[in-house]
Amino acid sequence: MADPTSLPNSTHSTARPPLRVALAGLGTVGAGVIRLIESNAALIERRAGRRVVVTAVSARDRGKDRGVDLSPYAWEDDMTAMAARDDVDVVVELVGGSDGPALTLARNAIRHGKGLVTANKAMIAHHGMELAGTAEAAGIPLRFEAAVAGGIPVIKGLREGVAANAVDRLYGILNGTCNFILSTMEDTGRDFADVLAEAQAKGYAEADPSFDIEGTDAAHKLSILSSIAFGARIDFASVETMGISRLLAADIAQADALGYVIRLIATAETATGPDGVQRLFQRVQPHLVPFDNLLAHVDGATNAVVVEGNFSGRLLFQGAGAGDGPTASAVVADVIDIARGMDTGFEADRAFSIPVSGLEAMDPADSGHRRSRAYLRFIVADRPGVLAEITAAMRDAGVSIESLIQKGRAEEDGEVLVVMVTHEGPESAVAHALRLLEGSASLAAPPLVMHLLDE
Ligand code: HSE
């Protein structure tokens, strides 16, 4: 059982003991946290009500040059051992990965009565219920603002600012790497791999960039936000996820011709089924976003989250979603939160706004019931009857086509690109049409479906 008294005791004297931080993981963000705590030390002390000092650090490679002086801090080779140190009040976990050393360290921290701050969305998406449950039972603070949308205080916004509202819907751009890639491809015409390499060099991308480009990272973040917004247990496995790796420059050009940009959009809302049961819909998918939608103007590694509260109305949270400074800003804000809370204790701390034991296990909603407009892209053999075959499938499935474009692709002889935008209709009808076309010899590649973002 954790010993909450290992956090410094409440005191109102001006000489409160400092908050002592152990930092695990010294990558882009870890080095940023050290720089921030050093640069803004006086300001942080005034706001936190006590000094915040790093006492111990750990990372995989001690010798690596990170551009920060580590000599003032104790070094631990075994990062999971930092939780047991007597000179540590809060463990900051910046190692990453849903399991492995990050999870061991997080569990150890709670067991040893240390506060826990993490930027690890994969770990929270997979183990957040367990970690928050044990932290709550032990009266230990757990914070993960930096896990979602970098420097944007969207978790604080949902936990605190919107706490009085029923949230109707939340949606937005949660992956800086994808947004950087899409908006840079759109602006420069450069190719996907080239822009991805630049995003990696800038420190936006995950260690395994497939987490970014296949939508997994955004899905981790969405599942965390959904839990707080809708009072539901995290259900990462049910996030319908599609990334941007199948997009072609031609999709970006066609979207542009139709009046849209393409953005990887994460959406969550509750939906009441025909049986009257409320379910949770969560989707990450590239969407066509109309030029006049505010998310169309979110460029580079910026993230933006729209939250619709039943009394607050529509709120927009926007800012840098990745990078050392913004992410460090969110990490240290959480540390300050814990430093402030020491005066009152953490017995009623609720990382997910509602105690974990009170979060509902909501079933996933069936997307087939949703009504949407869709962009469908086919790469087809350029021969008579192909277009008729596709439109017949649409007709037979009851999908109404709003516009249709056929473009020859000079670089791949004998294949053409066919793009359709449908009228609004049930998503199940589009899925039906695509099933009818499955295995067709006319299709040179599986069709690509993206939905249009409607207000
Ligand atoms: N790889 C993430 C992104 C970093 O690109 O948004 C921030 O979580």
Side-chain angles (χ1 to χ4, degrees), residues 119 121 146-150 174-179 199 203-207 211-212 217-218 221 301 303 321-323 327:
K121 49 257 160 165
V148 180
L174 293 178
N175 184 269
T177 300
C178 288
N179 210 60
Y204 302 153
E206 296 302 298
F211 272 45
D212 295 298
D217 175 78
K221 294 166 178 169
N303 284 188
T327 312

Side-chain angles (χ1 to χ4, degrees), residues 171 244 377 380 422:
Y171 60 98
I244 64 168
R377 183 256 284 157
V380 300
T422 70

Side-chain angles (χ1 to χ4, degrees), residues 352-433:
F352 288 88
S353 193
I354 290 173
V356 168
S357 58
L359 295 171
E360 264 184 84
M362 289 176 87
D363 286 332
D366 174 2
S367 59
H369 295 305
R370 293 174 63 81
R371 294 184 64 79
S372 309
R373 294 167 71 207
Y375 167 103
L376 308 175
R377 183 256 284 157
F378 303 89
I379 298 172
V380 300
D382 192 6
R383 59 165 190 256
V386 169
L387 205 51
E389 185 185 340
I390 295 174
T391 52
M394 298 296 150
R395 178 200 61 209
D396 294 348
V399 176
S400 172
I401 299 167
E402 180 186 293
S403 55
L404 186 151
I405 304 167
Q406 178 173 326
K407 289 268 292 178
R409 296 205 313 159
E411 72 274 19
E412 283 184 42
D413 285 347
E415 288 176 3
V416 293
L417 201 79
V418 173
V419 167
M420 290 175 189
V421 174
T422 70
H423 282 295
E424 186 182 292
E427 292 188 6
S428 55
V430 171
H432 181 197

Side-chain angles (χ1 to χ4, degrees), residues 90 207 214-215 293 312 369:
V90 171
E214 299 307 343
N293 186 291
S312 64
H369 295 305

Side-chain angles (χ1 to χ4, degrees), residues 80-96:
T80 65
M82 293 211 293
R85 289 179 67 98
D86 291 336
D87 61 353
V88 168
D89 305 307
V90 171
V91 169
V92 172
E93 183 278 308
L94 302 173
V95 181

